[in-house]
Amino acid sequence: AEEITVAVATVKQAKSLGDRIRFMSVALQEPPKDCVLAYRPGDAIERQAFLIIMDNESAKTYEAIVSISNRTVVSWQHIPDVQPGIALDEFFDCEAAVKASPEFQAALLKRGITDLDLVMVDPWSAGNYGGDDDRGLRLSRALSWVRSSPTDNGYARPIEGVIAVVDLHKMEVVRIEDYGVVPLPPQAGNYSPEFVKNYRQDLKPLEIVQPEGASFQVNGHEICWQKWKLRVGFTPREGLVLHTVSYTDQGKERPLIYRASLVEMTVPYGDPNPTHCRKNAFDVGEYGLGTLTNSLKLGCDCLGEVHYFDGLLTDSRGNVAVIENAICLHEEDYGILWKHVDWRTEQAEVRRSRRLVVSFIATVGNYEYGYYWYFYQDGSIQYEIKLTGIMNTGAVMPGEKPQYGTIIAPQLYAPNHQHFFSVRLDMNVDGQNNSVYEVNTQAAPMGPENPYGNAFYATPTLLETELAAQRIVYPFAGRYWKIVNPNVTNQMGEPVAYKLVPGENILPFAHPEASVTKRAAYMTKHLWVTPYNPKESYATGDYPNQHPGGAGLPEWTKADRPIANTDLVVWYTLGHLHIPRAEDWPVMPASYLGFMLKPVNFFNENPANDVPASTKHKCH
């Protein structure tokens, strides 16, 4: 917090910033990679901050680097023709501006809505659809709902057909788009204890108890658990970031990942209805998951012996904002790690698996997204996303059945949509120089070497350049990708590696010429690989808000740079299809998707052989 205060004060003073300045982001300017990898305790290091600053008066955006150590502005640069993501403060200001609009109030009156205090306004990003009328403006296309009481679930009653287009620089309504009156759905959709009275009565307590405390140690932002070591960070844009992940093997600390985070998330809706056709949120680049992160002191998000890390950022006026308990750290039992029964000697050996969990949860309007990194005792890493919350909704006329969504309550429907996520993995498998192989399994042809037709084998193919490494999942060949260090081998002479194993996935249904496809081209491939470049951080570029498209991964990979045996970054895209169902209303049971990183010849044998057996009194 002290560093943030210094950074903001330094740039305010040096640049004589006025009252209409917004600090869109204040984050750590991370040190160069070679500096971090060579760092030893006690080494001097300059602390710096990276700031994105927007001037509402001039409509200009600036980037600044501030030396916190020296209290000086190291660089100040105007970035033309960009729109930073929408700040949380702007959400509240936008809602107030919409409610104050006479045109909006008139549209509500046509629908019999008179109590503005019960109206909810969600400022959606405007996207980019090539219209000249709005060019150069900082816009939101705000959608609205109405509650029947102050704590009612407003998403049960969408104000269909009304869109408020708002100039966020001036905080003025540019126009109200009204596509005709649709009656408010008649039925409530509430789920909280004040409304739900008949809870099931047959659940007995299930306690998570660790009488001797947790097995992990925390030193500042460094976590040590079993043989794992990693550091956690937090940014306004990405939320949780992992740094310098390593695993200790036979007394040697072996690096695996230099940096890992979710760098983009896009939610394209598949409904051509005028109210819904421009719903294409980029929740990382347009809003910032860090700024929308939950404080986990409320509710029961994590169980057991829990350690929390706070999230530090600013509001858009540069004041320090603290999200208490933003990151959760805990252990979980995870069933059987390994087991074998020798039926001749009747000797049974079984080991329980446990995993370390590092997680955070963000609320993006109606949706909740939980992001979980799991670390296992056998050297595996898992990334998992849990999708829950409330579906975005629309209203239909009585008796109408929409083609592009599902009726979930009388006159209420949820449009079809998808969720895409881009995870950036700056790999460091036993050193910086890595290569990526695609591995497909195929059947051997019948013949003298395969007379019974039972043989099959795995074929690895080196992906030598960026364009060759733009790949999609193919489960019929058991396809996975192997990140290899060709310069290090295990005791059998095999190069050490980790493989990326896909889970659930899908490709976008949006047309290739659709605006959202152009702006989120990363969705069209599940794997991208680039040589490391510290300026290439986000799959859709630095400023996706209202950008026409083509930035980020598609722009960088046009050069088709070599990626073999070099310092490389793996980008993995996860896709989830949501065809809504009645069971998703009023609040959705969590859906899960993710991927695994598993060692392949990285160790000489099962690294979990030394996990001790559970004591007998715990296994009866």
Side-chain angles (χ1 to χ4, degrees):
E2 294 79 7
E3 291 183 317
I4 292 173
T5 301
V6 168
V8 170
T10 299
V11 76
K12 273 186 173 181
Q13 182 177 13
K15 296 300 175 181
S16 302
L17 300 181
D19 294 337
R20 301 205 61 209
I21 288 293
R22 288 188 188 265
F23 289 82
M24 307 307 292
S25 175
V26 180
L28 179 70
Q29 173 73 5
E30 295 176 16
K33 184 185 286 191
D34 56 356
C35 178
V36 173
L37 295 177
Y39 178 80
R40 296 294 178 267
D43 288 355
I45 190 167
E46 183 182 4
R47 298 283 287 177
Q48 294 185 337
F50 174 72
L51 299 85
I52 298 174
I53 296 165
M54 185 178 67
D55 186 345
N56 286 135
E57 189 68 40
S58 66
K60 291 182 177 180
T61 299
Y62 301 90
E63 291 180 356
I65 297 176
V66 173
S67 170
I68 299 167
S69 305
N70 301 322
R71 301 195 176 209
T72 57
V73 177
V74 176
S75 70
W76 174 266
Q77 184 179 4
H78 171 227
I79 311 297
D81 303 320
V82 301
Q83 292 293 346
I86 301 173
L88 186 59
D89 312 55
E90 291 181 290
F91 277 58
F92 297 105
D93 294 346
C94 179
E95 181 174 50
V98 171
K99 289 185 178 183
S101 162
E103 294 84 2
F104 181 71
Q105 294 174 15
L108 296 185
L109 197 59
K110 286 167 58 178
R111 292 158 173 84
I113 301 168
T114 57
D115 190 345
L116 284 170
D117 291 337
L118 294 177
V119 173
M120 302 174 0
V121 179
D122 283 2
W124 280 69
S125 53
N128 189 305
Y129 293 85
D132 293 330
D133 292 345
D134 299 330
R135 186 163 294 175
L137 299 180
R138 178 174 173 79
L139 295 177
S140 171
R141 291 176 61 84
L143 306 177
S144 51
W145 291 259
V146 61
R147 303 179 193 265
S148 60
S149 64
T151 58
D152 173 60
N153 173 17
Y155 293 109
R157 295 183 178 87
I159 305 173
E160 185 69 30
V162 177
I163 300 169
V165 180
V166 182
D167 182 334
L168 295 179
H169 277 310
K170 296 179 179 180
M171 281 303 164
E172 294 177 355
V173 173
V174 175
R175 64 180 177 274
I176 298 294
E177 299 177 4
D178 192 335
Y179 296 99
V181 175
V182 178
L184 295 174
Q187 189 170 297
N190 291 308
Y191 52 87
S192 57
E194 63 186 288
F195 297 104
V196 180
K197 301 303 181 184
N198 298 317
Y199 285 103
R200 57 187 72 182
Q201 301 296 317
D202 56 349
L203 281 178
K204 302 291 191 295
L206 177 62
E207 301 291 343
I208 309 298
V209 179
Q210 293 178 273
E212 298 180 23
S215 300
F216 54 75
Q217 298 85 42
V218 177
N219 178 21
H221 287 82
E222 183 182 71
I223 300 168
C224 297
W225 179 77
Q226 300 283 287
K227 299 181 179 184
W228 289 101
K229 183 183 289 186
L230 62 143
R231 299 183 67 86
V232 296
F234 187 85
T235 74
R237 184 164 179 165
E238 302 153 288
L240 171 64
V241 180
L242 302 184
H243 300 272
T244 55
V245 179
S246 66
Y247 190 96
T248 297
D249 175 36
Q250 299 179 358
K252 180 183 178 182
E253 187 177 329
R254 302 176 68 184
L256 299 176
I257 304 173
Y258 179 75
R259 191 184 192 277
S261 68
L262 180 75
V263 294
E264 193 51 272
M265 171 183 158
T266 308
V267 187
Y269 279 74
D271 186 351
N273 180 301
T275 311
H276 307 284
C277 63
R278 297 194 184 191
K279 286 180 176 177
N280 296 303
F282 289 60
D283 292 325
V284 175
E286 291 181 335
Y287 301 119
L289 286 184
T291 63
L292 302 175
T293 294
N294 293 179
S295 175
L296 300 177
K297 63 184 178 181
L298 304 174
C300 296
D301 301 285
C302 307
L303 297 177
E305 294 291 322
V306 177
H307 181 92
Y308 292 107
F309 299 88
D310 291 344
L312 292 170
L313 31 76
T314 69
D315 62 21
S316 72
R317 301 307 178 191
N319 303 305
V320 173
V322 180
I323 302 175
E324 295 182 9
N325 302 352
I327 299 170
C328 174
L329 171 69
H330 71 290
E331 295 174 287
E332 290 180 344
D333 178 88
Y334 198 65
I336 292 177
L337 175 62
W338 56 261
K339 178 176 181 173
H340 182 63
V341 177
D342 188 325
W343 56 272
R344 291 181 175 85
T345 65
E346 296 188 353
Q347 181 181 4
E349 291 293 335
V350 62
R351 301 293 184 268
R352 296 293 301 178
S353 176
R354 69 171 67 185
R355 62 187 185 183
L356 185 73
V357 187
V358 189
S359 65
F360 80 110
I361 300 172
T363 298
V364 187
N366 49 292
Y367 255 98
E368 264 73 24
Y369 299 91
Y371 303 95
Y372 296 78
W373 289 99
Y374 301 121
F375 297 87
Y376 293 89
Q377 292 159 302
D378 67 351
S380 297
I381 302 171
Q382 181 182 2
Y383 185 68
E384 184 174 70
I385 303 169
K386 301 179 184 181
L387 300 85
T388 180
I390 300 175
M391 291 183 293
N392 208 265
T393 53
V396 293
M397 300 297 288
E400 181 182 351
K401 186 175 181 179
Q403 180 178 356
Y404 302 102
T406 303
I407 294 287
I408 53 175
Q411 297 172 227
L412 182 73
Y413 84 109
N416 300 336
H417 59 281
Q418 293 182 274
H419 302 259
F420 289 94
F421 307 84
S422 177
V423 178
R424 181 180 182 273
L425 301 166
D426 184 349
M427 299 303 296
N428 193 17
V429 177
D430 246 354
Q432 288 182 256
N433 283 4
N434 293 171
S435 299
V436 176
Y437 286 79
E438 179 172 287
V439 182
N440 293 284
T441 297
Q442 62 193 81
M446 291 283 285
E449 294 184 0
N450 184 27
Y452 302 106
N454 64 304
F456 58 90
Y457 57 94
T459 302
T461 302
L462 176 64
L463 306 178
E464 298 191 58
T465 67
E466 290 177 289
L467 294 181
Q470 294 177 10
R471 307 295 296 164
I472 62 172
V473 299
Y474 188 65
F476 304 106
R479 179 174 295 172
Y480 61 86
W481 296 284
K482 192 164 59 170
I483 301 100
V484 176
N485 187 329
N487 312 294
V488 181
T489 58
N490 67 3
Q491 70 175 5
M492 283 74 70
E494 294 289 337
V496 299
Y498 261 69
K499 66 177 179 179
L500 193 162
V501 184
E504 173 194 334
N505 220 321
I506 200 165
L507 288 169
F509 288 102
H511 193 276
E513 294 303 310
S515 170
V516 67
T517 310
K518 294 176 181 179
R519 298 178 62 227
Y522 77 90
M523 301 186 301
T524 63
K525 304 294 180 183
H526 296 122
L527 184 80
W528 304 72
V529 185
T530 60
Y532 172 74
N533 183 331
K535 295 182 179 180
E536 297 177 358
S537 299
Y538 306 108
T540 53
D542 291 341
Y543 296 96
N545 189 18
Q546 297 182 224
H547 194 283
L553 284 170
E555 179 182 354
W556 306 327
T557 55
K558 285 179 182 177
D560 201 21
R561 295 167 292 187
I563 53 172
N565 199 14
T566 192
D567 189 2
L568 56 79
V569 176
V570 173
W571 310 71
Y572 183 66
T573 304
L574 302 94
H576 175 71
L577 170 65
H578 193 174
I579 303 297
R581 56 194 182 126
E583 292 83 358
D584 292 327
W585 180 255
V587 64
M588 294 181 293
S591 294
Y592 300 78
L593 74 159
F595 62 88
M596 295 287 294
L597 290 169
K598 298 180 74 70
V600 178
N601 301 316
F602 188 82
F603 301 104
N604 292 331
E605 61 179 15
N606 179 357
N609 276 357
D610 59 355
V611 173
S614 302
T615 54
K616 290 183 178 179
H617 75 274
K618 294 181 180 178
C619 296
H620 59 269

